[in-house]
Amino acid sequence: MSVSAIGPSSAFSPSAAAPASRADGAGLRSGQAQGDAPGKTQGLSEADLHMVEQLKQRDREVRAHEMAHVAAGAGVVTSGASYSYETGPDGRRYAVGGEVGINVSPGRTPEETLSRAEKIRAAALAPADPSGQDRQIAARAASMAAEARVELATRSRDEDAAGPAQAYRLAESGGRAPETGSALDTYA
């Protein structure tokens, strides 16, 4: 299963932000060097330059968000970050969404499940601004951890209840478990 840290529904849409018009050379800001991005930003309108800046910012945010998942998800991350891209008016591709694969299956034992759930939750909530899906995965991990804690508590209670009788039997048999049918427990 994978965690979509930033889904396409929350992706930046430059088409809604500004018209994609181009002007020959008129888009350069005063004081902007023509060699800033040779052949890429030359000839872009002011609106296109603004859109490129927004796309660059979104790209940085998306990459940092996904890398936070990867960094915190040691042992549960199944695949590195994969991104969805949008091509800007400068012809470059910018990451506007992404996801990281995380194994959200329980462990073989309650102890392993508890440990794994804590790692899953940490990985899901690692970014500074977790998405809705990140929070869902964290809630699922918290539920898995709660189930593991209940199983551990039940096992501990069962062991505690059997403890005194088992200890008595071991003491009576010289430290080894008696064979089936070799002892008779009588309690009044």
Side-chain angles (χ1 to χ4, degrees), residues 44-62:
L44 294 180
S45 70
E46 196 68 33
D48 286 344
L49 290 171
H50 180 68
M51 187 184 320
V52 167
E53 286 305 312
Q54 286 181 320
L55 285 167
K56 285 180 181 179
Q57 177 63 30
R58 179 69 178 160
D59 185 90
R60 285 189 294 272
E61 290 170 0
V62 167

Side-chain angles (χ1 to χ4, degrees), residues 50-121:
H50 180 68
M51 187 184 320
V52 167
E53 286 305 312
Q54 286 181 320
L55 285 167
K56 285 180 181 179
Q57 177 63 30
R58 179 69 178 160
D59 185 90
R60 285 189 294 272
E61 290 170 0
V62 167
R63 291 178 190 280
H65 184 105
E66 300 310 326
M67 287 301 108
H69 286 304
V70 172
V76 294
V77 171
T78 60
S79 65
S82 63
Y83 301 102
S84 55
Y85 295 92
E86 189 162 321
T87 303
D90 58 354
R92 293 184 181 173
R93 291 174 14 135
Y94 298 93
V96 293
E99 71 179 31
V100 172
I102 295 181
N103 179 355
V104 294
S105 64
R108 291 175 291 206
T109 65
E111 294 87 356
E112 187 178 317
T113 298
L114 187 57
S115 174
R116 184 174 289 187
E118 290 168 356
K119 289 178 184 178
I120 292 167
R121 186 173 183 281

